[in-house]
Every structure is written in structure tokens, then in C-alpha cells.
């Protein structure tokens, strides 16, 4: 009798030999019970995979977008006085550093950049992994009365940003906190919106936006991928 073990054992049990043919129907039923989502029309499908659907931004478009965002932040902040950027680990960090570099060309001022790891502030920490992977935060300036701009690559449910705000307010009381993202893909679960947005993209629940940066991924582009069976 086919057990409720791994898919490999179920598949082996259901091998179409003459000896096992009378039990094949029962084994298939067991397989569908194990992975109901993987079976369609009484056939076993391959595991879900990721396919690239489109390139949303090239390296040049990313650079132009960050230059525009730098100008918007400086303009809406009334200059760079008391202004600081907070990059959210991981890809928010190089994005914040690039925006600060662009601001240097606007005002001739070095806008400070902090690094914030939000791992311990996540509301799904217990579900992420048995042991959370911690990366160091580094905010070498006081946040009290500062105009802080949190920077991240993609805004989705808003839960990452909520965790980031909890982390910031553990450090002090900023004058203002705003959000800058390269891509806003919608599907919010928190009352959180970005003030500075590089690009808005409508996505489905199965689609994923991947921001790939030279500093981390050794390539430079933004792509839309989809989970398919």
C-alpha cells in the first residue's frame, strides 16, 4: 500500500509495472492527497518554476530613475539640511548610496546614509527560517529631529516598511520619515505608501519583480517573472 511519504517514494510505488498495475489507481489517489495542487486532470505535473516575462528597466533606465528620485527628494525636502537616507538591507542599501551620490552632484553635500536590517522586526520571523539570518545595521548618526528617507527596491505588502519604521523609532524620534522605492507593485496589506516612486507596475499575485543590481547580483536590470506550473 502506498504510504504518505515523500513524492519520490510515492512515484516509485506507482511505477507502471505489471506487478503494480492493479494498485496504480490507489497510488495515484495517494499522490494527489500529498500534493493536491500539483495534480490536474488526474495527471502529475512538474513542480512550479519561475519564468521571465519581461524586462521592465535597463541599467540606463535605473540610473536615470535614481537621478530623478534624488532631485525629487532634495526639492520636496527643501534641501539637504537634516536629511539622511536609510537603506533597507539588502538592495535598498546600494540604491540609497547611489541616490546620495546623485545628491552630491546637486547640492555638493554628502548626505549621510544608514543601513537598516529589519529581520528582527518582521512579523513573520518565526515562519522565515529556524534561525534568522542577521546582517548588521549601521546608522552612524543620531535620528532625532532628522528628515529620514527609507529606501528599498520594491514596495509590495508594506510589511517590510512597517518593520523598518519600528527599527528606526527604537533609535530615536525623527522629525519625519518618508519612503522611496524603485518599484511599487501594489497589493498593499498595510496603510503604507511611498512618497518617492521610480515606477509603478501592476502585477498579479503570482508575478514577482526582481531588481538586480551590480553590487549584489553582478547584473543591472529590473525584470518581471512569473510562477508557473
Amino acid at each position: 500500500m502506498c504510504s504518505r511519504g515523500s513524492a519520490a517514494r510515492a512515484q516509485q510505488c506507482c511505477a507502471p509495472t505489471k506487478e503494480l498495475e492493479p494498485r496504480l489507481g490507489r497510488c495515484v489517489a495517494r499522490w494527489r492527497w500529498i500534493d493536491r495542487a500539483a495534480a490536474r486532470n488526474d495527471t502529475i505535473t512538474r513542480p512550479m518554476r519561475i519564468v521571465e516575462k519581461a524586462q521592465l528597466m535597463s541599467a540606463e533606465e535605473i540610473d536615470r530613475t535614481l537621478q530623478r528620485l534624488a532631485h525629487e527628494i532634495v526639492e520636496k525636502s527643501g534641501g539637504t539640511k537634516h536629511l539622511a537616507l536609510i537603506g533597507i538591507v539588502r538592495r535598498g542599501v546600494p540604491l540609497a548610496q547611489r541616490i546620495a551620490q546623485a545628491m552630491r552632484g546637486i547640492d555638493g553635500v554628502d548626505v549621510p546614509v544608514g543601513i537598516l536590517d529589519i529581520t528582527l522586526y518582521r512579523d513573520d520571523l518565526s515562519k522565515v527560517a529556524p534561525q534568522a539570518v542577521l546582517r548588521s545595521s549601521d546608522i552612524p548618526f543620531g535620528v532625532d529631529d532628522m528628515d529620514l528617507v527609507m529606501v528599498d527596491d520594491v514596495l509590495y505588502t508594506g510589511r517590510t516598511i512597517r518593520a523598518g519604521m519600528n527599527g528606526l523609532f527604537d533609535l530615536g524620534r525623527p522629525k519625519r520619515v518618508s519612503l522611496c522605492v524603485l518599484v511599487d507593485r501594489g497589493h498593499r496589506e498595510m496603510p503604507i505608501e511611498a512618497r518617492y516612486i521610480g515606477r509603478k507596475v501592476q502585477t498579479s499575485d503570482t508575478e514577482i519583480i526582481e531588481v538586480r543590481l551590480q553590487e549584489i547580483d553582478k547584473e543591472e536590470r529590473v525584470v518581471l517573472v512569473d510562477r508557473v506550473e
Side-chain angles (χ1 to χ4, degrees):
M1 187 172 180
C2 192
S3 69
R4 296 181 183 177
S6 65
R9 291 200 302 273
Q11 196 170 25
Q12 185 177 7
C13 181
C14 296
T17 64
K18 289 184 178 180
E19 181 181 353
L20 294 179
E21 276 181 0
R23 298 162 59 189
L24 186 58
R26 177 175 295 179
C27 290
V28 170
R30 290 287 186 181
W31 177 274
R32 294 181 68 197
W33 185 91
I34 292 169
D35 190 1
R36 193 181 299 271
R40 294 292 185 273
N41 299 322
D42 294 327
T43 61
I44 303 303
T45 60
R46 289 180 296 178
M48 189 172 292
R49 58 193 177 92
I50 301 295
V51 296
E52 183 175 322
K53 295 182 67 175
Q55 176 170 297
L56 302 178
M57 300 176 74
S58 64
E60 293 75 14
E61 290 170 324
I62 292 174
D63 182 65
R64 287 198 301 268
T65 300
L66 294 178
Q67 293 287 336
R68 172 175 62 80
L69 290 171
H71 280 272
E72 286 185 16
I73 293 171
V74 171
E75 180 181 354
K76 292 182 180 179
S77 301
T80 55
K81 188 176 181 181
H82 303 303
L83 180 65
L85 305 180
I86 304 292
I88 297 179
V89 175
R90 300 178 64 202
R91 289 167 184 80
V93 176
L95 291 175
Q97 292 167 340
R98 294 190 199 182
I99 292 173
Q101 184 176 6
M103 289 176 174
R104 189 179 305 122
I106 300 171
D107 265 12
V109 175
D110 288 324
V111 175
V113 178
I115 298 172
L116 180 63
D117 179 10
I118 57 92
T119 302
L120 293 180
Y121 295 92
R122 293 178 60 136
D123 58 9
D124 61 348
L125 181 59
S126 62
K127 302 177 183 178
V128 174
Q131 285 187 326
V133 178
L134 299 179
R135 299 177 176 88
S136 60
S137 294
D138 181 17
I139 302 179
F141 50 84
V143 303
D144 287 340
D145 298 320
M146 291 289 288
D147 188 354
L148 302 181
V149 179
M150 299 174 63
V151 181
D152 205 4
D153 55 349
V154 179
L155 177 58
Y156 182 31
T157 63
R159 294 181 180 273
T160 294
I161 306 307
R162 180 210 61 80
M165 293 181 65
N166 286 353
L168 284 180
F169 280 94
D170 271 355
L171 300 175
R173 190 175 186 275
K175 177 181 179 182
R176 177 169 55 188
V177 178
S178 53
L179 175 62
C180 173
V181 296
L182 185 63
V183 179
D184 181 352
R185 59 162 294 187
H187 301 278
R188 214 75 76 241
E189 296 174 0
M190 297 279 175
I192 290 174
E193 297 298 333
R195 188 178 189 190
Y196 310 102
I197 301 172
R199 182 170 178 178
K200 287 189 175 182
V201 180
Q202 295 297 321
T203 61
S204 69
D205 289 334
T206 62
E207 291 174 329
I208 303 169
I209 292 179
E210 294 185 353
V211 175
R212 303 173 184 173
L213 303 175
Q214 282 290 346
E215 295 92 333
I216 297 174
D217 309 289
K218 308 306 178 186
E219 63 173 315
E220 189 85 2
R221 62 194 187 119
V222 179
V223 295
L224 177 68
V225 302
D226 203 350
R227 296 185 289 259
V228 297
E229 295 180 355

